[in-house]
Amino acid sequence: MLALGACSNDHDDDPAVLPLPPATTARINVDVARTTHGVPHVRADDFRSLGYGLAYAYAQDNVCMFADAVLTVRGERSLFFGADARPRQRTGDEYGGGSGFMDLNNEDSDFFFKGYLDIEQLRAGYASGAREPRDLLEGYVEGYNRYLKDAGSKLPAACANTKWVRPISLDDMMLVVAEKALHASGQAFARDFVAAGRVPGAPVTLAKVAPRKIDASSLVAQLDLLNRQGFGSNALAVGRDLSANGRGLLLGNPHYPWTTTDRFYQAHLTVPGRYDAMGVIIGGVPAVVIGFNRDVAWSHTVTFANHFTTFRLALDPGDATGTTYLYDGARRTMTSKTVTVEALLPDGLIGRRTKTFYFSHQGAAYVLADPNRSNTRMLEQWLGIGTATSVRTLKDSLDKVVGLPWVNTVAADRDGNTLYADASVVPHMNADKFVNGCLLLQAALLFDGSKSSCGWGQDVGAPAGVYAPATAPWMMRTDYVGNSNDSYWLTNPKALLTGPAPLGYSPLYGRVNAEQSLRTRIGFRQVEDLLAQRNKLNLVDMQALAFSNRVYAAELVLPELLTACASASSPLMQQACTTLQAWDRRADLDSRGAVLFREFWALATAIPNKWARPFDPTDPVNTPAGVAPAAMPAMLAALRTAADKLQSLGVPFDGRLGDYQVEPRNGVRIPLHGGNGNQEGTYGSLTMRSSLTAQGYVGAHWGQSYLQTVTFDEQGPVAQAMLTYGQSVDPASPWYADQTLLYSRKSWPSLPFTQEKIKADPNYTTVTLRE
């Protein structure tokens, strides 16, 4: 715990990927096949070789972006790009290397990663854990470095002939994985952490280190942006009661970055007899994080839970430096960590700045307590999920490892069982600690850190200070379960999950009896609507649900709005109302009126007391609804403002969405369907890089990324999936824009899983790497 207060291309003819001469005792021996859309199938006899082959394939497609990410976690951005610059954001066809979870200049980013992450703790964590994750990381290091050696100077244009693309170490990979764990905790507070660092030698008095006031509204805004707007995902698992084939069906639809180093990458990883999983890895992390095996398919959604708390400690008034505090009345001294950041200066010389950060078991003054800071169990957890043979054994792995940092798990198996579980790393703060005087400030999750009775608790068999998943929210069913980032409470509308009596689950897991997002509501509403038409669902139905593009906000407000529009006197309003009347109330490419409604609803959503029918906790899918009569004038004013905006930009009210929501790739504007999720109530979600201009909404930033639908037959999984932004960030790669076109057309490719189907793929190629 720590102080927050004042204390490549088509490789068929590339000799770099040809195998080395056969060796009788090869230490590394791995086959890397490629199928349609550049999906690598990595097959090895051991996990070290598996990591080696995956790293080689990933570097072929994304070496510049990954090298950039390594600079970030090493704390070396300033050394190569200068202290004041920021990580590159995507412009044109260049990759984006900036994080979606923190916005710092290079110097502050370097201080955060050098000061916040503790490589000694990470080394110790991996050393005490299972062997397979370490083998994967060690092999990944060797495979990436082998690629750099083989590629030589033939790197993509974005990083060719640069000094910052260098071999990596095992420590680097530990840091790469560790960074992913911090998205829902440490990175959200990175600016505060850096500001709390002290410059060595500067005079310090107790007055200067006195606890500063926490800006609760700022914290709430950060958490809202992180958990409700930025992160997102949908997952739906259908069981044997409702599936046409009697087996499980899974739809996975994470809404993740299109432009940063958190992009997904499709891969199929196999160690025969031990591990055989296909799906996606994230940002170079060497394990399938969302995907399927022969018996189980799973996806993740970012949880509504909070994965940290803050504490206020009592500083010892006798220590003017502010580095001693009282805990249960006893004095404790903080530990310190001094780090130096090197920065490239305008004259080409190297400057240096140093800061000292102070730590304790709970920090100093106001502190962030982050159980993911040293979470080295993620790889072991995803290997455990990938080797599960049923949702029951998958749940057993979640209970044993407790390694997921900030995601729910939704899964289905071949026997038609489904699972929802929030088995993420959540601080052990029982509900009673929210009402017994320990909680000092709800908005900041600030607890009294001066006494142990207000500290984190402990579950048997769980890591220190976090809940065991067996005591966290979960359910298994044979009809269906789903999640779209709201709390566990609404996992199935027919079985609301409230937790154990009398107080339920910890409030850190999320709210019950609370209004749900429009995206959550349309997700369940469209399932129920479809089941009302037919009793059983299949993969085609799951795909139709993923891309239904129903705009739920329009369904809720247009009946009353269009009635009120009938009395509109201005020609502009009459035209706007006529457009909305004719609109299909979807966000498809051919939808005419979607742009006008989006701009209207962006204003109207903020109108207070706008609903005629209030939220009813017994009917969370269908309420609130309707427009309150008193809110109608404000609604019409919002529509007039939106109409004025479109007219000023020259955007026709009835323009096709596909002409005004686009992803540019190599000079081609690829039309994108989909709405912006939580705001307007589409099941799928896209957040565009630009607001509306005369050219439209240009460039996807966040949103639908890897979409998979999976069921099972006697031979294994039956899967169709796409990676919306493609495998590679290199504009010269054949896999740079191919799947973006698939997404635009709503075309679902089948994934080959068995060796027979892999070799039958029309674009099959293979190489063997030995060392």
Side-chain angles (χ1 to χ4, degrees):
M1 302 179 190
L2 56 141
L4 277 188
C7 18
S8 149
N9 306 326
D10 189 339
H11 306 288
D12 290 347
D13 300 316
D14 186 347
V17 299
L18 294 177
L20 292 175
T24 55
T25 57
R27 186 176 55 85
I28 297 292
N29 191 350
V30 55
D31 295 322
V32 181
R34 294 264 191 174
T35 53
T36 300
H37 305 301
V39 178
H41 303 257
V42 185
R43 189 177 182 89
D45 290 336
D46 58 78
F47 281 88
R48 190 184 192 100
S49 295
L50 189 71
Y52 186 105
L54 175 61
Y56 200 100
Y58 186 72
Q60 286 177 315
D61 297 328
N62 297 293
V63 62
C64 298
M65 185 177 65
F66 186 72
D68 198 312
V70 172
L71 283 184
T72 298
V73 298
R74 280 175 172 166
E76 293 182 348
R77 301 202 62 83
S78 300
L79 179 61
F80 291 94
F81 304 125
D84 294 331
R86 275 176 155 72
R88 72 162 76 201
Q89 300 299 317
R90 185 178 173 200
T91 56
D93 285 302
E94 293 294 333
Y95 74 92
S99 170
F101 312 103
M102 53 184 253
D103 181 21
L104 303 177
N105 66 20
N106 287 337
E107 181 179 83
D108 286 347
S109 174
D110 291 344
F111 271 125
F112 172 71
F113 284 104
K114 282 192 168 186
Y116 194 82
L117 292 177
D118 188 328
I119 192 61
E120 295 296 336
Q121 288 186 6
L122 296 176
R123 290 170 183 162
Y126 280 106
S128 63
R131 179 70 226 183
E132 290 169 347
R134 283 177 287 159
D135 288 344
L136 270 174
L137 292 178
E138 290 169 0
Y140 199 95
V141 169
E142 293 183 81
Y144 179 80
N145 293 341
R146 162 77 182 277
Y147 170 78
L148 293 184
K149 180 181 178 181
D150 288 353
S153 61
K154 298 179 181 179
L155 295 178
C159 61
N161 302 312
T162 60
K163 295 180 179 180
W164 50 269
V165 180
R166 297 172 295 166
I168 62 173
S169 67
L170 180 59
D171 283 355
D172 292 333
M173 280 306 297
M174 290 181 183
L175 293 171
V176 165
V177 177
E179 185 267 341
K180 305 305 177 194
L182 304 179
H183 290 343
S185 52
Q187 281 183 302
F189 301 92
R191 190 180 306 278
D192 304 271
F193 173 77
V194 173
R198 300 183 190 174
V199 177
V204 177
T205 66
L206 185 58
K208 291 183 179 180
V209 299
R212 64 185 181 186
K213 182 180 179 181
I214 287 184
D215 183 351
S217 62
S218 175
L219 279 174
V220 170
Q222 289 183 66
L223 295 175
D224 181 70
L225 179 66
L226 179 69
N227 292 329
R228 324 296 181 240
Q229 299 173 28
F231 272 135
S233 297
N234 300 318
L236 175 68
V238 175
R240 59 178 172 267
D241 295 350
L242 302 176
S243 68
N245 64 1
R247 302 185 187 275
L249 303 170
L250 182 90
L251 165 63
N253 181 5
H255 304 152
Y256 268 55
W258 280 45
T259 62
T260 76
T261 53
D262 284 295
R263 285 170 47 114
F264 290 120
Y265 180 78
Q266 286 180 278
H268 181 187
L269 307 180
T270 305
V271 175
R274 171 68 183 116
Y275 179 63
D276 191 11
M278 189 173 186
V280 285
I281 69 169
I282 184 171
V285 175
V288 173
V289 300
I290 291 175
F292 54 91
N293 61 25
R294 187 183 184 279
D295 301 304
V296 182
W298 73 95
S299 195
H300 295 305
T301 63
V302 176
T303 79
F304 201 89
N306 289 290
H307 300 91
F308 65 91
T309 62
T310 60
F311 287 99
R312 184 178 69 191
L313 298 191
L315 294 179
D316 180 1
D319 179 2
T321 69
T323 59
T324 305
Y325 60 97
L326 303 176
Y327 188 66
D328 286 340
R331 299 174 74 250
R332 293 196 177 192
T333 302
M334 299 178 190
T335 59
S336 64
K337 180 180 182 181
T338 299
V339 298
T340 298
V341 168
E342 295 183 317
L344 180 66
L345 302 177
D347 59 7
L349 298 177
I350 302 299
R352 293 172 177 81
R353 289 195 62 192
T354 299
K355 281 192 174 187
T356 300
F357 300 94
Y358 291 87
F359 301 82
S360 74
H361 80 294
Q362 283 180 316
Y366 292 108
V367 303
L368 170 68
D370 180 1
N372 273 315
R373 181 168 169 252
S374 298
N375 178 3
T376 56
R377 304 178 303 279
M378 290 190 298
L379 283 178
E380 181 180 357
Q381 185 66 85
W382 277 314
L383 290 179
I385 293 172
T387 54
T389 57
S390 66
V391 296
R392 177 71 263 176
T393 58
L394 191 157
K395 179 64 167 59
D396 290 342
S397 175
L398 297 177
D399 292 348
K400 176 183 177 182
V401 181
V402 200
L404 294 177
W406 32 259
V407 290
N408 298 301
T409 301
V410 174
D413 66 24
R414 66 168 42 254
D415 293 326
N417 303 298
T418 70
L419 167 72
Y420 161 81
D422 185 348
S424 62
V425 174
V426 174
H428 196 296
M429 278 291 189
N430 284 340
D432 64 299
K433 292 184 181 179
F434 285 75
V435 296
N436 67 359
C438 286
L439 181 64
L440 304 179
L441 183 61
Q442 173 71 51
L445 295 177
L446 178 67
F447 292 83
D448 185 347
S450 68
K451 48 191 179 183
S452 58
S453 60
C454 292
W456 291 349
Q458 183 65 52
D459 276 346
V460 175
V466 301
Y467 283 104
T471 63
W474 67 277
M475 63 167 57
M476 290 185 187
R477 299 181 63 84
T478 52
D479 54 357
Y480 75 92
V481 296
N483 184 267
S484 295
N485 309 116
D486 274 311
S487 84
Y488 60 87
W489 176 60
L490 182 55
T491 297
N492 181 297
K494 298 179 176 63
L496 298 176
L497 187 59
T498 58
L503 298 178
Y505 297 111
S506 167
L508 291 181
Y509 279 105
R511 299 171 295 174
V512 302
N513 299 317
E515 183 178 334
Q516 305 294 288
S517 74
L518 291 180
R519 179 163 57 88
T520 289
R521 292 171 60 189
I522 190 60
F524 288 114
R525 177 64 182 266
Q526 64 185 12
V527 170
E528 293 295 331
D529 288 350
L530 188 58
L531 289 172
Q533 300 171 26
R534 60 176 69 101
N535 294 325
K536 303 290 184 179
L537 305 180
N538 55 38
L539 278 194
V540 173
D541 294 319
M542 303 293 272
Q543 292 162 8
L545 292 171
F547 287 161
S548 69
N549 290 329
R550 286 171 60 179
V551 180
Y552 196 41
E555 296 179 19
L556 294 174
V557 304
L558 280 189
E560 291 90 348
L561 182 65
L562 292 175
T563 298
C565 267
S567 60
S569 57
S570 75
L572 186 71
M573 283 291 284
Q574 290 174 0
Q575 182 185 356
C577 294
T578 299
T579 297
L580 292 181
Q581 179 70 57
W583 173 43
D584 62 7
R585 304 184 189 186
R586 295 181 183 266
D588 284 328
L589 296 184
D590 291 328
S591 296
R592 297 179 180 274
V595 174
L596 174 62
F597 183 84
R598 178 174 299 173
E599 294 302 312
F600 151 72
W601 188 247
L603 301 171
T605 190
I607 296 173
N609 304 314
K610 59 181 172 291
W611 299 114
R613 183 183 174 195
F615 169 70
D616 179 354
T618 66
D619 188 14
V621 172
N622 298 303
T623 61
V627 179
M632 188 57 71
M635 289 275 182
L636 292 172
L639 181 58
R640 175 60 187 257
T641 301
D644 286 339
K645 179 177 182 178
L646 265 65
Q647 185 179 59
S648 69
L649 293 172
V651 177
F653 294 175
D654 62 350
R656 293 175 65 254
L657 178 63
D659 293 333
Y660 290 94
Q661 182 167 267
V662 298
E663 169 71 7
R665 293 291 176 99
N666 287 333
V668 176
R669 286 166 56 100
I670 301 175
L672 301 179
H673 58 86
N676 57 14
N678 283 5
Q679 180 165 290
E680 62 193 47
T682 50
Y683 190 51
S685 184
L686 279 177
T687 301
M688 304 302 288
R689 296 207 308 272
S690 80
S691 57
L692 182 64
T693 68
Q695 289 72 44
Y697 311 99
V698 181
H701 181 49
W702 286 74
Q704 306 193 89
S705 49
Y706 173 68
L707 294 104
Q708 67 172 17
T709 56
V710 187
T711 189
F712 305 89
D713 62 18
E714 292 302 322
Q715 285 70 49
V718 178
Q720 293 180 299
M722 69 184 73
L723 187 63
T724 56
Y725 38 67
Q727 288 282 80
S728 178
V729 295
D730 181 5
S733 170
W735 306 312
Y736 174 65
D738 56 334
Q739 294 198 67
T740 309
L741 293 168
L742 291 180
Y743 171 76
S744 180
R745 298 192 298 261
K746 298 186 180 180
S747 178
W748 292 77
S750 297
L751 298 184
F753 185 78
T754 65
Q755 283 294 294
E756 179 183 11
K757 290 183 179 179
I758 292 168
K759 292 177 180 179
D761 187 280
N763 297 294
Y764 172 78
T765 62
T766 186
V767 297
T768 299
L769 299 168
R770 293 194 180 96
E771 199 176 293

